[in-house]
Coordinates of all heavy atoms in Angstrom, one line a residue:
L110 N -1.7 8.9 3.5 CA -1.6 8.0 4.6 C -2.7 6.9 4.6 O -2.4 5.7 5.0 CB -1.8 8.8 5.9 CG -1.6 8.0 7.2 CD1 -0.2 7.4 7.3 CD2 -1.8 8.9 8.4
E111 N -3.8 7.2 4.1 CA -4.9 6.2 4.0 C -4.5 5.0 3.2 O -4.5 3.8 3.6 CB -6.2 6.8 3.5 CG -7.3 5.7 3.4 CD -8.6 6.4 2.9 OE1 -8.6 7.6 2.5 OE2 -9.6 5.6 2.8
L112 N -4.0 5.2 2.0 CA -3.5 4.2 1.1 C -2.3 3.4 1.7 O -2.2 2.2 1.6 CB -3.2 4.7 -0.3 CG -4.3 5.3 -1.1 CD1 -3.8 5.8 -2.4 CD2 -5.4 4.2 -1.4
D113 N -1.4 4.2 2.3 CA -0.2 3.6 2.8 C -0.5 2.7 4.0 O 0.0 1.5 4.1 CB 0.7 4.7 3.4 CG 1.5 5.4 2.3 OD1 1.4 5.0 1.1 OD2 2.1 6.5 2.5
L114 N -1.4 3.1 4.9 CA -1.8 2.3 6.0 C -2.6 1.0 5.6 O -2.5 0.0 6.2 CB -2.6 3.1 7.0 CG -1.9 4.0 8.0 CD1 -2.8 4.6 9.0 CD2 -0.7 3.2 8.7
R115 N -3.4 1.1 4.6 CA -4.1 0.0 4.1 C -3.1 -1.1 3.6 O -3.3 -2.3 3.8 CB -5.1 0.4 2.9 CG -6.3 1.2 3.4 CD -7.3 1.3 2.3 NE -8.3 2.3 2.6 CZ -9.3 2.2 3.4 NH1 -9.5 1.1 4.1 NH2 -10.1 3.2 3.6
E116 N -2.1 -0.6 2.8 CA -1.1 -1.6 2.3 C -0.3 -2.2 3.4 O 0.0 -3.4 3.4 CB -0.2 -0.9 1.3 CG 0.8 -1.8 0.7 CD 0.3 -3.1 0.0 OE1 -0.9 -3.1 -0.4 OE2 1.0 -4.1 0.0
F117 N 0.1 -1.3 4.4 CA 0.8 -1.8 5.5 C 0.0 -2.9 6.3 O 0.5 -3.9 6.7 CB 1.1 -0.6 6.5 CG 1.7 -1.1 7.8 CD1 3.0 -1.6 7.9 CD2 0.9 -1.0 8.9 CE1 3.5 -2.0 9.1 CE2 1.4 -1.5 10.2 CZ 2.7 -1.9 10.3
A118 N -1.3 -2.6 6.4 CA -2.2 -3.5 7.2 C -2.2 -4.9 6.4 O -2.2 -6.0 7.1 CB -3.6 -3.0 7.3
R119 N -2.3 -4.8 5.1 CA -2.4 -6.1 4.3 C -1.0 -6.9 4.5 O -1.1 -8.1 4.7 CB -2.5 -5.8 2.8 CG -3.9 -5.2 2.5 CD -4.1 -5.1 1.0 NE -5.2 -4.2 0.7 CZ -5.2 -3.0 0.3 NH1 -4.0 -2.4 0.2 NH2 -6.2 -2.3 0.0
Q120 N 0.1 -6.2 4.4 CA 1.4 -6.9 4.6 C 1.5 -7.4 6.0 O 2.0 -8.5 6.2 CB 2.5 -5.9 4.3 CG 2.6 -5.5 2.8 CD 3.9 -4.7 2.5 OE1 4.9 -4.8 3.2 NE2 3.8 -3.9 1.5
W121 N 1.1 -6.6 7.0 CA 1.2 -7.1 8.4 C 0.3 -8.3 8.7 O 0.7 -9.2 9.3 CB 0.9 -6.0 9.3 CG 1.3 -6.4 10.8 CD1 0.4 -6.7 11.8 CD2 2.6 -6.5 11.3 NE1 1.1 -7.0 12.9 CE2 2.5 -6.9 12.6 CE3 3.9 -6.3 10.8 CZ2 3.5 -7.1 13.5 CZ3 5.0 -6.5 11.6 CH2 4.8 -7.0 12.9
M122 N -0.9 -8.3 8.1 CA -1.8 -9.4 8.3 C -1.2 -10.7 7.7 O -1.2 -11.8 8.4 CB -3.1 -9.2 7.6 CG -4.1 -10.3 7.6 SD -4.9 -10.6 9.2 CE -6.3 -9.4 9.0
A123 N -0.6 -10.6 6.5 CA 0.0 -11.8 5.9 C 1.2 -12.2 6.8 O 1.4 -13.5 6.9 CB 0.5 -11.4 4.5
F124 N 2.0 -11.3 7.3 CA 3.1 -11.7 8.1 C 2.7 -12.4 9.4 O 3.3 -13.4 9.8 CB 3.9 -10.4 8.5 CG 5.0 -10.7 9.5 CD1 6.1 -11.5 9.3 CD2 4.9 -10.0 10.7 CE1 7.0 -11.7 10.2 CE2 5.9 -10.2 11.7 CZ 6.9 -11.1 11.4
V125 N 1.7 -11.8 10.1 CA 1.3 -12.4 11.4 C 0.7 -13.8 11.2 O 0.9 -14.7 12.0 CB 0.2 -11.5 12.0 CG1 -0.3 -12.2 13.3 CG2 0.9 -10.2 12.4
Q126 N 0.1 -14.1 10.0 CA -0.5 -15.4 9.7 C 0.6 -16.4 9.3 O 0.3 -17.6 9.2 CB -1.5 -15.3 8.7 CG -2.8 -14.5 9.1 CD -3.8 -14.4 8.0 OE1 -3.7 -13.5 7.1 NE2 -4.8 -15.3 8.0
S127 N 1.8 -15.9 9.0 CA 2.8 -16.8 8.4 C 3.6 -17.6 9.6 O 3.5 -17.2 10.7 CB 3.8 -16.0 7.6 OG 4.6 -15.2 8.5
I128 N 4.3 -18.6 9.2 CA 5.1 -19.4 10.1 C 6.1 -18.4 10.8 O 6.4 -18.5 12.0 CB 5.8 -20.6 9.4 CG1 4.7 -21.6 9.0 CG2 6.8 -21.2 10.4 CD1 5.3 -22.7 8.2
E129 N 6.7 -17.6 9.9 CA 7.7 -16.6 10.4 C 7.2 -15.7 11.4 O 7.8 -15.4 12.4 CB 8.3 -15.9 9.2 CG 9.1 -16.7 8.3 CD 8.3 -17.4 7.3 OE1 7.1 -17.2 7.2 OE2 8.8 -18.3 6.6
G130 N 5.9 -15.2 11.2 CA 5.3 -14.3 12.1 C 5.0 -15.0 13.5 O 5.2 -14.4 14.5

Side-chain angles (χ1 to χ4, degrees):
L110 185 59
E111 181 179 1
L112 294 177
D113 286 349
L114 279 186
R115 289 189 195 284
E116 180 57 26
F117 170 74
R119 294 186 192 100
Q120 292 188 24
W121 188 255
M122 174 76 84
F124 170 64
V125 175
Q126 291 178 279
S127 69
I128 294 174
E129 293 79 11

